[in-house]
Amino acid sequence: MNQEKPTCCYHEDEGFSCHEVAEPSGLCYWHDPRIIKNKPDDKARLEAFARTGGMLRGISLKRANLSGIDLVKHHSKTGFDMTHAELYRANLQGAHMFNLNLEHASLMKADLRDANVHCANLTNTNLLGVKWKGTKIENIYTGKQIKQERMAREADKLGEVEIALDYYEQSEEIYRDLRKAADREGLFAMAGHFMRKELIMRRYQMPKWSSTRIISKSIDLFCGYGEAPLRVIGFSMVLIFFCALCYFFTGLSYSNQIHQFNFSNHFEQNINLLLNCIYYSVVTFTTLGYGDFIPIGYSKAVAAIEAFTGSFTIALFVVVFVKKMNR
């Protein structure tokens, strides 16, 4: 009797299993990490394997020579699923990888020059050292955090400072490479996003409570490192309202009369006073200075600080807004 050939023992906890014929190692040709896929016909074989429904999840293509391979799932809204795939140092120059799912995969030091990875899912993918020159990366999805950033934050929570710093450094390198790739492709909004992430990763490598880290954090809060003009507007509105409250309690002079919050005032009087303080705060912030209200006492110090901060903030908004529009 003919004995059935053993099947690949590759299995995932999610329930995915490979049913290809196993090699002596117990794994099929594509899942066996000890086999280097650099034979002349490996590219054509892998394309056929994918199109005939072969399991691409978890396949090992470490150091494989697959330049120009076509892994596009034509006439389908979803791409091939290569979750957990190992592509360490794989040669993928000029490869067609549109809409490919590479979640939890490793592209470490892979050569993606001139490849097409439009709409690829790179969530939690190891992107360290990837060669991006000429790569089409429009609409790629890397998730809110790349793999190294997530691991750095986890190490930080556990108090593993050295490990966290190493991962933050790797994250900075990855975001810098992605920013450069986006700039080359003219994807300036994407480049701006990656630039901000790059600077955040650099900030986390600075000593806590150091002046450089505090300044870097402040710049991020105020304007997102020059990429978030709405943050400047939000900060301006908060400052205007905060200063208005200060004037509300410290008092303003109008027509030689002191206008200041008092519990003995009617509710409507205090509301009108607050509205006038907001008006004066806007006038002071924008340095218009109509002269109808005059600060008294501590209000003078508040007005001086607000006027200085306002002129600086308006200039900052112009710079950030122009930078954003030029992108």
Side-chain angles (χ1 to χ4, degrees), residues 279-314:
Y279 157 76
Y280 176 73
S281 184
V282 172
V283 170
T284 304
F285 180 85
T286 55
T287 64
L288 290 174
Y290 289 128
D292 44 358
F293 284 91
I294 301 173
I296 59 173
Y298 291 112
S299 293
K300 293 181 179 179
V302 176
I305 294 171
E306 184 180 16
F308 173 79
T309 308
S311 59
F312 170 78
T313 304
I314 292 171

Coordinates of all heavy atoms in Angstrom, one line a residue, residues 279-314:
Y279 N -12.7 89.6 25.9 CA -12.4 90.6 24.8 C -11.1 91.3 25.0 O -10.3 91.4 24.1 CB -13.5 91.7 24.8 CG -13.1 93.0 24.2 CD1 -13.1 93.1 22.8 CD2 -12.8 94.1 25.0 CE1 -12.7 94.3 22.2 CE2 -12.4 95.3 24.4 CZ -12.4 95.4 23.1 OH -12.0 96.6 22.5
Y280 N -10.8 91.7 26.2 CA -9.5 92.3 26.5 C -8.4 91.4 26.3 O -7.3 91.7 25.8 CB -9.5 92.9 27.9 CG -8.2 93.5 28.3 CD1 -7.8 94.7 27.8 CD2 -7.3 92.8 29.2 CE1 -6.5 95.3 28.1 CE2 -6.0 93.4 29.5 CZ -5.7 94.6 28.9 OH -4.4 95.1 29.3
S281 N -8.6 90.1 26.6 CA -7.5 89.1 26.5 C -7.2 88.9 25.0 O -6.0 88.8 24.6 CB -8.0 87.8 27.1 OG -6.9 86.8 27.1
V282 N -8.2 88.9 24.2 CA -8.0 88.7 22.7 C -7.3 89.9 22.2 O -6.3 89.8 21.4 CB -9.4 88.6 22.0 CG1 -9.2 88.6 20.5 CG2 -10.1 87.3 22.4
V283 N -7.7 91.1 22.6 CA -7.0 92.3 22.2 C -5.5 92.4 22.6 O -4.6 92.7 21.8 CB -7.7 93.6 22.7 CG1 -6.9 94.9 22.5 CG2 -9.1 93.7 22.1
T284 N -5.3 91.9 23.8 CA -3.9 91.9 24.3 C -3.1 90.8 23.6 O -1.9 91.0 23.2 CB -3.9 91.6 25.8 OG1 -4.7 92.6 26.5 CG2 -2.5 91.6 26.4
F285 N -3.7 89.6 23.4 CA -3.0 88.5 22.7 C -2.5 88.9 21.3 O -1.4 88.6 20.9 CB -3.9 87.3 22.7 CG -3.3 86.1 22.1 CD1 -2.5 85.2 22.8 CD2 -3.5 85.8 20.7 CE1 -1.9 84.1 22.2 CE2 -2.9 84.7 20.1 CZ -2.1 83.8 20.9
T286 N -3.4 89.6 20.6 CA -3.1 90.0 19.2 C -2.3 91.3 19.2 O -2.1 91.8 18.1 CB -4.4 90.1 18.4 OG1 -5.3 91.0 19.1 CG2 -5.1 88.7 18.3
T287 N -2.0 91.9 20.3 CA -1.3 93.2 20.5 C -2.0 94.3 19.7 O -1.3 95.2 19.2 CB 0.2 93.0 20.0 OG1 0.2 92.7 18.6 CG2 0.9 91.9 20.8
L288 N -3.3 94.3 19.7 CA -4.0 95.4 19.0 C -4.0 96.6 19.9 O -3.8 97.7 19.5 CB -5.5 95.0 18.7 CG -5.6 93.9 17.6 CD1 -7.1 93.5 17.5 CD2 -5.2 94.5 16.3
G289 N -4.3 96.4 21.2 CA -4.3 97.5 22.2 C -5.2 98.7 21.9 O -4.7 99.8 21.6
Y290 N -6.5 98.5 22.0 CA -7.4 99.6 21.7 C -7.4 100.7 22.8 O -7.7 101.8 22.5 CB -8.9 99.1 21.6 CG -9.1 98.3 20.3 CD1 -9.6 97.0 20.4 CD2 -8.7 98.8 19.1 CE1 -9.8 96.3 19.2 CE2 -8.9 98.1 17.9 CZ -9.5 96.8 18.0 OH -9.7 96.1 16.8
G291 N -7.0 100.3 24.0 CA -6.9 101.3 25.1 C -8.2 101.6 25.9 O -8.1 102.4 26.7
D292 N -9.3 100.9 25.5 CA -10.5 101.1 26.3 C -10.4 100.5 27.7 O -10.9 101.1 28.7 CB -11.7 100.5 25.6 CG -11.5 99.2 25.0 OD1 -10.3 98.6 25.1 OD2 -12.4 98.6 24.4
F293 N -9.8 99.3 27.8 CA -9.6 98.7 29.1 C -8.1 98.8 29.5 O -7.2 98.7 28.6 CB -9.9 97.2 29.1 CG -11.4 96.9 29.1 CD1 -12.1 96.8 28.0 CD2 -12.1 96.8 30.3 CE1 -13.5 96.6 28.0 CE2 -13.5 96.6 30.4 CZ -14.2 96.5 29.2
I294 N -7.8 99.1 30.8 CA -6.5 99.3 31.3 C -6.2 98.3 32.4 O -7.0 98.2 33.3 CB -6.2 100.7 31.8 CG1 -6.5 101.7 30.7 CG2 -4.8 100.9 32.3 CD1 -6.5 103.1 31.1
P295 N -5.1 97.5 32.3 CA -4.8 96.5 33.4 C -4.4 97.3 34.7 O -3.8 98.3 34.6 CB -3.7 95.7 32.8 CG -3.0 96.6 31.8 CD -4.1 97.4 31.3
I296 N -4.7 96.7 35.8 CA -4.3 97.2 37.1 C -3.7 96.1 38.0 O -4.0 95.0 37.8 CB -5.6 97.9 37.8 CG1 -6.6 96.8 38.1 CG2 -6.1 99.1 37.1 CD1 -7.8 97.3 38.9
G297 N -2.9 96.5 38.9 CA -2.3 95.5 39.8 C -1.6 94.4 39.1 O -0.8 94.6 38.2
Y298 N -2.0 93.2 39.5 CA -1.4 92.0 38.9 C -1.7 91.8 37.4 O -1.1 91.0 36.7 CB -1.8 90.7 39.7 CG -1.2 90.7 41.1 CD1 -2.0 90.8 42.2 CD2 0.2 90.5 41.3 CE1 -1.4 90.7 43.5 CE2 0.8 90.4 42.5 CZ 0.0 90.6 43.7 OH 0.5 90.5 44.9
S299 N -2.8 92.4 37.0 CA -3.3 92.3 35.6 C -2.2 92.8 34.7 O -2.1 92.4 33.5 CB -4.6 93.1 35.4 OG -5.6 92.5 36.1
K300 N -1.4 93.8 35.2 CA -0.3 94.3 34.3 C 0.7 93.3 33.9 O 1.1 93.2 32.8 CB 0.4 95.5 35.0 CG -0.5 96.7 35.2 CD 0.3 97.8 35.9 CE -0.6 99.1 36.1 NZ 0.2 100.1 36.8
A301 N 1.1 92.4 34.9 CA 2.0 91.4 34.7 C 1.4 90.3 33.7 O 2.1 89.8 32.8 CB 2.5 90.7 36.0
V302 N 0.2 90.0 34.0 CA -0.5 89.0 33.1 C -0.6 89.5 31.7 O -0.3 88.8 30.7 CB -1.9 88.7 33.6 CG1 -2.7 87.7 32.7 CG2 -1.9 88.1 35.0
A303 N -0.9 90.8 31.5 CA -1.1 91.4 30.2 C 0.3 91.4 29.5 O 0.4 91.2 28.2 CB -1.6 92.8 30.3
A304 N 1.4 91.7 30.2 CA 2.7 91.8 29.6 C 3.1 90.4 29.1 O 3.6 90.2 28.0 CB 3.7 92.3 30.6
I305 N 2.9 89.4 29.9 CA 3.2 88.0 29.5 C 2.4 87.5 28.3 O 2.9 86.9 27.4 CB 3.0 87.0 30.7 CG1 4.0 87.4 31.8 CG2 3.2 85.6 30.3 CD1 3.8 86.6 33.1
E306 N 1.1 87.9 28.4 CA 0.2 87.5 27.3 C 0.6 88.1 26.0 O 0.5 87.5 24.9 CB -1.3 87.8 27.6 CG -2.2 87.3 26.6 CD -3.7 87.5 26.9 OE1 -4.0 88.4 27.7 OE2 -4.6 86.9 26.2
A307 N 0.9 89.4 26.0 CA 1.3 90.1 24.8 C 2.5 89.6 24.2 O 2.6 89.4 23.0 CB 1.5 91.6 25.1
F308 N 3.5 89.3 25.0 CA 4.8 88.7 24.5 C 4.5 87.3 23.9 O 4.9 87.0 22.8 CB 5.8 88.6 25.6 CG 7.0 87.9 25.2 CD1 8.0 88.5 24.5 CD2 7.2 86.5 25.6 CE1 9.2 87.8 24.1 CE2 8.4 85.9 25.2 CZ 9.3 86.5 24.5
T309 N 3.8 86.5 24.7 CA 3.5 85.1 24.2 C 2.6 85.1 23.0 O 2.8 84.3 22.1 CB 2.8 84.3 25.4 OG1 3.5 84.4 26.6 CG2 2.6 82.8 25.0
G310 N 1.7 86.1 22.9 CA 0.8 86.2 21.8 C 1.5 86.5 20.5 O 1.3 85.9 19.4
S311 N 2.4 87.4 20.5 CA 3.2 87.8 19.3 C 4.1 86.6 18.9 O 4.2 86.4 17.7 CB 4.1 89.0 19.6 OG 5.0 88.8 20.7
F312 N 4.6 85.9 19.8 CA 5.5 84.8 19.5 C 4.6 83.6 18.9 O 5.0 83.0 17.9 CB 6.2 84.2 20.8 CG 6.9 82.9 20.6 CD1 8.1 82.8 19.9 CD2 6.3 81.7 21.0 CE1 8.7 81.6 19.8 CE2 6.9 80.5 20.9 CZ 8.1 80.4 20.2
T313 N 3.4 83.4 19.5 CA 2.5 82.3 19.0 C 2.0 82.6 17.6 O 1.9 81.7 16.8 CB 1.4 82.1 20.0 OG1 1.9 81.9 21.3 CG2 0.5 80.9 19.6
I314 N 1.6 83.8 17.4 CA 1.1 84.2 16.0 C 2.2 84.0 15.0 O 2.0 83.4 13.9 CB 0.6 85.7 16.0 CG1 -0.6 85.8 16.9 CG2 0.3 86.1 14.6 CD1 -1.1 87.2 17.1

